[in-house]
């Protein structure tokens, strides 16, 4: 049997059968004690748990018996972030969770082909939280709807939960490399190979956008205590919110969509990815199943969704396939030459990553705006300009020689630290003096959610207090500056606009703002 | 190979070559420099105190130096010669044992510096790192040299040091230092600020490293036979425990677990592929 995951907004009604059965399954898991491996809170803790935070939010009581030491070490705190295991681990997590819910659905007499719906907030008019999750009541008007959580505050932290579509994007889908680098260049669609380390400070592109953003926008922060996150905003509480699973259904779907463009968009073939973290001395991926056994899996086993018995109702391309020739043409290559490139010589993409410039001193984010200036090294900046000029002057491709791709450019926000994961902001580069950012969407480098920043800022935490690092591609902005003859400057201004004013108590800071080139 | 693995190799290969060279000198080099008899600092101290009539603590511990100690110019020359020899030996020992654990922080320095400043930044980082280890070396070598003069037998000193190292190995304080070894701070990019940040990062990283490894580093200094082999064991141990990520400081055993798991997994993989 093939299970089909369906768009939650296409089910026909707010409380369509698939949602109603999901709610009943969630209620059954929630009824179990924390120590039971198939309980709701146990599954949340598989993603992450911070006991003081859980207590503060009312999800852990002193009377709760803890799971056995063996179960703790095998299952809890497994989530893979800042790593090229992000997608395969979450796919398995989703499959195992779904199997547990389905087991409950079957026990209650539900359909044996039940599958988890997904939430595609990118679809027109589907950006709002599905209504079944927003109501405290079951459809019959009785309270205690298990899909509702009070700690879900939304993008304005006012309880109105939706995903502002102008703050999310599908740029990651245009990245043909699954894995990249954590040194300032492209981190890749699926994340960075972190060697023998569990995870790094740099998230992959799909992980950053839309994954992290949707977490931060949906979860928001407690309006009465800005440092207290909504469940979805923090990796240590996210798995407790029933909407988490529909969000991850969409992320998983996007991976499947991305994989449909071979030969460029393919999963890694390196043994350390295929065989998973056990190959680098880390814990295996392992999930508790409804039959009481544990299910161990590797990324290899996650690559073929069909073999796993799953599909989605919509796997149409999320974005148009990027054409290398289009950028050459934008940079000045003749239309004839650009057209001849299609199906012509290969475009070689340079992999060297190099610092172009950086600001001076760390930047505190307080209130509704922060600004800094990235000083550019004139020599490296000229190198970027030369590569852009060379693209325009590229010879006719009938020579059949590979054509060198122009540099890609990335804005890095390094060592971002703070206490509130619900912080979300937009980053603009090279805005004219006095300009209103809203009037210049072409200068928007990207939007960032600090999902995981609290943990990453702990000196004795997994990231040793170095915080998170974000790499935003600003190639298009730099191309435009180059074409407008505005790239020959000593510095580029960077403006950071939080979605909500950031209180001083959040202690958000950016260690360094820098620009890197990636090319030959 | 992934792009990230390729970048790692660009640092790993040269640092491992330096490590290899240092071990080669230690194993086949001329008399292992500061340890002329090929043995430990402690043995050297015993020899000096008995045969040459000079107490090594007088050489290694500044407060005990006196004008009369150096009234004889031959002794003065010998003192300087010994100090230089100890310093060189200590640096060689550090290079051999610590270079592999510097791969990750050196990569951080390289990645986050301008291309034209990378070499200079790495040198400054290493200078800061070596500075704190040299200071620690004075203390550790003095301790090792004084040990046979304090306790009757070197084996007793080694037993005490092993006990201290074990306690330290279990302790939360050790974990605190190990965690700091994983810190990768932001670095200024331009001018003097960049130089200072590179040096400061090296110094801070070295401080954490000293805090984490001081007790282990004392052990080979107290081993009279098989000094180089003891160094190798300690070096592997230090490398192995650095592979584990930061974790909350508490009493727990720290050792070879992850490196063994990696070795088993990678060996199995190669056997499957062969």
């Amino acid at each position: 049997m093939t299970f089909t995951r369906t768009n939650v907004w296409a089910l026909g009604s707010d409380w369509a059968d698939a949602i109603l059965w999901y709610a009943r399954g969630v209620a059954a898991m929630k009824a179990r004690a924390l120590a039971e491996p198939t309980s709701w809170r146990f599954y949340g803790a598989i993603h992450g748990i911070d006991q003081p935070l859980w207590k503060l939010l009312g999800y852990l009581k002193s009377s709760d018996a803890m799971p056995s030491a063996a179960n703790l070490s095998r299952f809890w705190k497994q989530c893979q972030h800042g790593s090229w295991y992000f997608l395969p681990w979450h796919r398995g997590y989703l499959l195992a969770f779904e199997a547990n819910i389905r087991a409950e659905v079957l026990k209650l007499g539900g359909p044996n082909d039940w599958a988890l719906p997904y939430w595609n907030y990118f679809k027109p008019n589907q950006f709002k939280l599905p209504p079944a999750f927003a109501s405290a009541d079951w459809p019959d008007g009785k309270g205690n709807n298990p899909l509702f959580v009070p700690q879900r505050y939304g993008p304005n932290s006012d309880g109105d939960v939706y995903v502002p579509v102008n703050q999310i994007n599908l740029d990651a889908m245009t990245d043909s490399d699954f894995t990249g680098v954590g040194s300032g260049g492209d981190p890749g669609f699926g994340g960075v190979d972190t060697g023998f380390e569990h995870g790094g400070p740099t998230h992959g592109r799909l992980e950053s956008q839309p994954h992290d953003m949707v977490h931060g926008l949906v979860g928001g922060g407690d309006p009465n205590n800005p440092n207290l996150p909504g469940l979805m905003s923090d990796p240590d509480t996210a798995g407790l919110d029933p909407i988490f699973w529909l969000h991850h259904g969409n992320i998983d779907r996007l991976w499947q969509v991305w994989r449909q463009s071979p030969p460029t968009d393919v999963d890694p073939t390196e043994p350390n990815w295929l065989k998973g973290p056990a190959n680098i001395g880390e814990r295996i991926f392992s999930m508790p199943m409804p039959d009481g056994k544990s299910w161990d899996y590797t990324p290899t086993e996650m690559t073929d969704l069909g073999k796993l018995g799953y599909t989605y109702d919509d796997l149409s391309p999320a974005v148009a396939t990027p054409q290398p020739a289009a950028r050459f043409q934008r940079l000045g290559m003749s239309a004839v030459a650009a057209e001849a490139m299609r199906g012509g010589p290969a475009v070689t993409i340079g992999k060297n990553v190099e610092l172009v410039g950086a600001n001076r001193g760390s930047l505190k984010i307080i209130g509704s705006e922060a600004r800094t200036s990235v000083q550019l090294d004139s020599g490296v900046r000229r190198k970027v300009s030369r590569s852009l000029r060379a693209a325009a002057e590229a010879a006719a491709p009938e020579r059949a020689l590979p054509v060198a791709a122009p540099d890609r450019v990335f804005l890095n926000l390094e060592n971002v630290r703070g206490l509130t994961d619900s912080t979300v902001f937009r980053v603009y580069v090279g805005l004219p003096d006095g300009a209103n950012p809203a009037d210049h969407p072409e200068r928007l480098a990207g939007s960032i959610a600090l999902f995981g920043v609290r943990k990453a800022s702990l000196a004795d935490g997994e990231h040793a207090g170095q915080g998170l690092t974000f790499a935003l591609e600003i190639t298009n902005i730099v191309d435009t500056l180059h074409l407008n003859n505005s790239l020959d400057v000593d510095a580029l201004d960077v403006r950071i606009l939080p979605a909500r004013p950031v209180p001083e108590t959040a202690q958000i800071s950016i260690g360094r703002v820098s620009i890197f080139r990636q090319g030959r | 190979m992934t792009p990230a693995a390729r970048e790692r190799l660009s640092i790993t290969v040269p640092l491992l070559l330096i490590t290899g060279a240092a071990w080669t000198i230690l194993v086949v080099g001329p008399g292992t420099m500061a340890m002329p008899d090929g043995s430990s600092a402690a043995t050297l101290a015993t020899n000096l105190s008995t045969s040459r009539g000079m107490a090594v603590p007088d050489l290694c511990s500044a407060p005990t130096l006196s004008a009369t100690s150096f009234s004889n110019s031959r002794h003065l020359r010998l003192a300087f010669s010994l100090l230089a020899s100890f310093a060189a030996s200590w640096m060689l020992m550090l290079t051999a044992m610590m270079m592999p654990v510097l791969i990750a922080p050196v990569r951080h320095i390289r990645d986050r510096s301008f291309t034209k400043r990378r070499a200079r930044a790495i040198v400054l980082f290493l200078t800061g790192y070596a500075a704190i280890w040299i200071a620690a070396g004075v203390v550790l070598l003095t301790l090792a040299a004084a040990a046979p003069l304090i306790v009757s037998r070197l084996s007793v000193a080694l037993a005490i040091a092993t006990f201290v190292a074990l306690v330290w190995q279990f302790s939360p304080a050790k974990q605190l230092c190990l965690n700091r070894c994983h810190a990768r701070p932001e670095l200024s990019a331009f001018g003097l600020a960049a130089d200072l940040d590179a040096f400061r990062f090296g110094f801070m990283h070295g401080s954490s490293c000293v805090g984490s490894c001081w007790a282990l580093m004392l052990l080979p200094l107290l081993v009279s036979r098989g000094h180089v082999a003891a160094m190798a064991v300690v070096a592997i141990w230090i490398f192995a425990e650095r592979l584990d990520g930061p974790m909350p400081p508490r009493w727990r055993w720290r050792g070879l677990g992850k490196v063994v798991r990696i070795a088993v997994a990678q060996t199995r993989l190669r056997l499957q592929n062969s």
Side-chain angles (χ1 to χ4, degrees), chain A residues 34-74:
Chain A
L34 171 69
E36 290 186 52
T38 56
S39 72
W40 181 258
R41 287 183 293 160
F42 192 101
Y43 251 81
I46 290 174
H47 196 269
I49 175 170
D50 179 284
Q51 293 192 22
L53 185 57
W54 277 39
K55 281 180 182 163
L56 215 55
L57 294 169
Y59 285 85
L60 185 64
K61 294 182 174 58
S62 47
S63 56
D64 280 318
M66 294 303 278
S68 67
N71 279 345
L72 283 178
S73 63
R74 183 173 195 90

Side-chain angles (χ1 to χ4, degrees), chain A residues 72-84:
Chain A
L72 283 178
S73 63
R74 183 173 195 90
F75 297 117
W76 278 21
K77 299 183 181 180
Q78 279 188 64
C79 79
Q80 298 281 335
H81 289 284
S83 153
W84 61 344

Side-chain angles (χ1 to χ4, degrees), chain B residues 86-121:
Chain B
F86 264 112
S89 173
W90 183 241
M91 290 308 295
L92 183 65
M93 188 171 166
L94 274 184
T95 305
M97 298 177 75
M98 294 304 184
M99 214 41 100
V101 298
L102 293 183
I103 291 169
V106 167
R107 257 198 73 207
H108 178 66
I109 280 273
R110 178 204 175 273
D111 290 349
R112 299 289 158 184
S113 300
F114 286 116
T115 304
K116 63 186 177 186
R117 293 186 69 103
R118 279 175 180 167
R120 169 189 182 143

